[in-house]
Every structure is written in structure tokens, then in C-alpha cells.
Amino acid sequence: MTTDARADAPARTAGRRPLLRLLGPAFVAAIAYVDPGNVAANLTAGAGYGYLLLWVLVVANAMAVLVQYLSAKLAVITDRTLPEVLRDRLGQKSRLAFWAQAELVAVATDLAEVIGGAVALHLLFHIPLLLGGVIVGVVSVAVLALQHRNGVRRFEAVIMGLLLVIVIGFVSGNFYSPPDAGEAVKGLVPRFAGSETVLIAASMLGATVMPHAVYLHSAMARDHHGTVAPEQRRRVLGATRIDVVAALVVAGLVNISMLLLAASALRGVPGTETLEGAHAAVATHLGTGAALFFAIGLLASGLASTSVGAYAGAVIMQGLLRIEVPLLVRRVVTLIPALVCLGIGVDPTRALVVSQVVLSFGIPFALIPLVRLTSSRELMGEHANRRGTQVAATVAVVAVVVLNVALLWLTFTG
């Protein structure tokens, strides 16, 4: 699969397009922020600890706005993806090592997304999980074929349509069970309540600030805008800021809605630590209508995010190794771990939460190079990060690293 769809984005014309034509890449990247891993992590947090970890979502979403903008900015200014820029600056061994961890992140991402879609098919149509996983994989190939054959804009349109379904599916639950505003405000105060909440927070962070979305967004921006003339860069970057903020506000709304729903309607309800149990609890306490919206939202999330995840994996491999793997081959290879988990009966929700923890460890490998590269005046010229942006990005990276170190310490020391 080729990830370079610049044929439908002619060189040096992006800055002259109407504003709405400049939007779109961030909404594709935002799918990574509302995937089934988010559902599992947010429901686990809300059902188990109420509003306690709401602040994690707010902080993570603010970080996501910053890093996704930097990723897109790198592509607009350099006309290259983040993996391509890294390839030119890393030695062979370093490049292979970096690719290995990035691919591990991509596999963990696909694990969450395929499992989530399979669970949704089971909830809606009672399809066995293993067969559901195969169906999700097949549908994702069809979605990706749109990008391969018809260009990036058709792919963007389909993904944005699925995003709308996700929003309706998960936000609607809060109309059935409105959250406690006072308790929600208290949940904005940063704090933990034991090592288990640190694990869940790391899972939520890994589900919200997604490494593969950082790599992908640079490719989406490059493919969408084409080569941007120097005199048009400020306008395109301005549109990119609007694109990122709008997309991440939508994604943040969905994530917060998940946690609020679990905190208000599922707190202390037995079985809500699993997706199936949460669906059953929603049906029991809020009605079959709310449960149907929940399952449809989960299915749309799985289908959209696994397509985007596979696209990101191709961006990583092509950018770092200059290797293009046929779409079907890559889809089959990355599908295998998820199908194995489904086949041997691994608890789907637990697998989702653990996969998000794996993702959280991949975040520094994406963020640290991104911050350094976008701060380089040699590479970015006048568009290099200003001091305030550099400080904010550095603080975000340090916060991620500290949280992961704390997670390791608490996990191994009990």
C-alpha cells in the first residue's frame, strides 16, 4: 500500500484552497483517540473509581492537541512524514530498533481495535468473537482500499462518517444518565488512590495520546496538503490549528462522556470491568436503546480505528525502512495477534487495557523526537517551536515518562 496520496493534493496549491478544504487530517488521526482501548480504559476508570481520574482525560487531551499539531506542522514545513525525517537522521541499527518498537506499538493498537470490533459484533449480532475479528479485518481492508484507489479525501470522508457514529453512540448515554456536576468538578483535581489507579491512568494516557497517531498525522497532513509554498505556510498552519483543536475537542468529548457514563450509571455495578458486562449494565440500568447506541458506537470505533491503525503501520514501515508491504499481507500479519487472543479465550477487556499500557510506553519514542525536530531552526526555519511551545511539549513528555516509571515501580513492588 502506498501512503503517498499527494496526487489529489497538487503541489503549491494547498494554501489557496477554501478553509474547509484544508480541514480533515486531524479528524482521521482523532479516530485513534476514540478506539476500543479508550472505551475499555475509560469504562474501567469510571466504573471502578467514579470521577476520580477525569483529570487524566483532560490533561491527556490537552497534550494530544499539542503533539498532533506539531506532527502536522512538521509535515507542512518539511513535506515529509515523521518516520521519513527520522530515517534520514538515524543510523541503520538505531533505525531498525526504532522501527521495532514502533511496530510493537502498531500491533498493540491493532489488538485493541480488532478485539473491540469483535466484541461489538458479538453484542449486536451474537457473532462468535473469533469470526467477528475476521470480519473486522476484512472490512478494514475495504476501507483502506478507498485510500489506495481513490485518494486520501475519500478515505477521510469515510473515517469522519464513522467518527460521527462514534460520537452519537457514546455521548448519547449521558442523556439517559446525566453525570453529577459537583463530583465531576472534583474529578478535575489531579490525584491517585493506590497503584491500581496509576495502572488505569497509564492505560487511559496510552489510549488517549496514541504514538501511532503521531506518526500517522504527519502522513495525513503531507498527503492532504501536498507541497505547500513558503508564502502559503502560515495560512495552512492556521487551518491546521483549527483542524486539530476541533478534532480533539470531539474526541475529548467522547472520552469524557464514556467515563462520566460509567461513573454515574455503572459505579459499583458487578461485571462492568468488561465490555460485555458494561453493555449488559447499560441495558439493565438505562434501557435497550442506550445499550444499542453503546454497541453501535463500539463497532464503529473498532472498524474505523483498525483501518487507521493499519494505515499508520504502513506509514511507519515505509518511512523508516523504505519498504512497502501489500495491503492484504500487512492486514493479515497485524491481525494474527488479535485473532490468537480471541481464539484462546483471553479476556477481551483485560487485553484492551493491557494493550493501552503498552502504547503508553511507546509515547516517549514518538514525542521526544517530534519535539526536538520541530524545535530545530535548521529543519523548520522560522516555524521552529517558540519557547512556550517547547516548554509545554517538554513538560508533556516528562509527565509521560514519570507516569510510566511510577507504573513500573508500583507494578513490580506491589
Side-chain angles (χ1 to χ4, degrees):
M1 178 180 70
T2 178
T3 60
D4 189 351
R6 284 177 285 181
D8 63 350
R12 299 185 182 276
T13 61
R16 301 188 184 94
R17 298 187 192 124
L19 177 61
L20 286 178
R21 292 279 290 171
L22 297 176
L23 307 182
F27 283 88
V28 175
I31 286 293
Y33 294 87
V34 290
D35 74 353
N38 292 86
V39 181
N42 295 331
L43 290 180
T44 300
Y49 300 96
Y51 302 93
L52 176 71
L53 297 176
L54 180 59
W55 66 272
V56 176
L57 290 180
V58 175
V59 171
N61 212 64
M63 291 168 53
V65 170
L66 176 59
V67 301
Q68 294 302 144
Y69 171 69
L70 294 182
S71 176
K73 182 172 80 166
L74 178 71
V76 170
I77 302 305
T78 67
D79 195 29
R80 289 182 292 168
T81 69
L82 175 58
E84 288 172 344
V85 176
L86 288 172
R87 178 192 66 213
D88 296 339
R89 291 170 175 255
L90 294 174
Q92 183 176 4
K93 291 183 179 179
S94 298
R95 186 166 62 248
L96 288 173
F98 194 95
W99 168 79
Q101 65 80 28
E103 281 295 331
L104 178 62
V105 164
V107 170
T109 301
D110 215 38
L111 177 71
E113 293 155 353
V114 173
I115 288 178
V119 170
L121 287 172
H122 178 70
L123 295 175
L124 287 168
F125 308 110
H126 305 291
I127 296 174
L129 290 176
L130 183 58
L131 176 58
V134 174
I135 292 173
V136 170
V138 171
V139 172
S140 69
V141 171
V143 174
L144 284 165
L146 291 173
Q147 186 275 336
H148 183 65
R149 296 174 184 173
N150 301 308
V152 71
R153 294 188 185 280
R154 185 69 60 84
F155 179 71
E156 288 176 357
V158 171
I159 295 300
M160 290 171 72
L162 289 170
L163 178 60
L164 177 61
V165 176
I166 295 168
V167 172
I168 296 172
F170 290 118
V171 174
S172 60
N174 287 278
F175 292 97
Y176 291 88
S177 178
D180 185 319
E183 291 299 314
V185 170
K186 293 179 182 178
L188 298 176
V189 179
R191 63 194 190 281
F192 295 107
S195 59
E196 182 66 19
T197 60
V198 178
L199 174 64
I200 295 174
S203 175
M204 294 165 69
L205 183 65
T208 305
V209 183
M210 302 286 275
H212 76 286
V214 177
Y215 303 120
L216 172 68
H217 199 170
S218 61
M220 292 301 303
R222 191 271 312 272
D223 294 347
H224 183 97
H225 297 303
T227 302
V228 181
E231 64 272 15
Q232 298 292 345
R233 287 174 179 172
R234 290 197 178 277
R235 182 169 187 267
V236 173
L237 289 177
T240 297
R241 283 190 286 270
I242 296 173
D243 192 32
V244 171
V245 171
L248 270 298
V249 164
V250 171
L253 176 64
V254 172
N255 282 317
I256 289 172
S257 295
M258 293 178 199
L259 187 144
L260 293 179
L261 176 64
S264 63
L266 308 180
R267 180 75 187 272
V269 176
T272 51
E273 66 277 2
T274 68
L275 290 175
E276 297 93 330
H279 176 264
V282 169
T284 300
H285 294 271
L286 302 179
T288 56
L292 179 62
F293 278 121
F294 177 91
I296 292 174
L298 181 62
L299 178 59
S301 171
L303 294 175
S305 57
T306 194
S307 302
V308 170
Y311 188 2
V315 167
I316 293 168
M317 178 171 286
Q318 182 181 0
L320 286 169
L321 304 183
R322 296 184 186 272
I323 296 176
E324 288 190 20
V325 177
L327 171 64
L328 182 60
V329 174
R330 179 165 187 87
R331 176 70 282 181
V332 170
V333 170
T334 56
L335 194 61
I336 290 174
L339 295 182
V340 169
C341 288
L342 292 172
I344 64 178
V346 173
D347 177 66
T349 304
R350 187 63 181 173
L352 287 173
V353 173
V354 171
S355 73
Q356 303 312 300
V357 175
V358 173
L359 291 179
S360 73
F361 286 103
I363 295 172
F365 292 99
L367 264 58
I368 292 174
L370 178 66
V371 173
R372 292 188 62 183
L373 290 170
T374 53
S375 299
S376 169
R377 187 161 293 276
E378 176 188 358
L379 180 67
M380 303 292 290
E382 63 176 316
H383 299 285
N385 294 337
R386 296 180 179 178
R387 179 59 60 87
T389 301
Q390 189 171 352
V391 169
T394 301
V395 169
V397 173
V398 170
V400 172
V401 173
V402 168
L403 183 59
N404 286 327
V405 170
L407 171 62
L408 279 174
W409 175 261
L410 292 172
T411 299
F412 289 107
T413 64

